[in-house]
Amino acid sequence: MLRHEFQPGRLVAGLFLTAAGVVYAGDAGGLWRTPWFVAVPLVVGGLCLAAVTGMVAQGVRRRRDSRPTTPGPRP
């Protein structure tokens, strides 16, 4: 099976969007009352945090890939 590259920004975005879905599912199920405007900061904040996480991960990945490789010690 081919493995894909880990993308933490997408993970963060997915977690926040899932949290927004759980909040509104709880409201629809009658477990609690959720005002309509709760989704805006939850989704926008999650997407902003995901963007920052993605940029940091890309910077780390780019810096790691640009390091020169040094050969190991010869026996």
Side-chain angles (χ1 to χ4, degrees):
M1 176 165 76
L2 295 175
R3 298 196 66 134
H4 61 83
E5 176 177 41
F6 178 64
Q7 296 178 344
R10 289 187 181 190
L11 175 66
V12 171
L15 288 174
F16 273 88
L17 292 174
T18 301
V22 167
V23 165
Y24 279 106
D27 184 32
L31 296 175
W32 55 76
R33 297 270 309 146
T34 305
W36 64 270
F37 54 84
V38 169
V40 174
L42 190 61
V43 171
V44 172
L47 290 176
C48 289
L49 187 61
V52 170
T53 305
M55 287 189 292
V56 168
Q58 182 66 25
V60 167
R61 192 175 296 122
R62 182 174 294 148
R63 185 170 183 187
R64 184 185 62 206
D65 291 341
S66 68
R67 285 190 312 197
T69 57
T70 58
R74 293 185 181 177

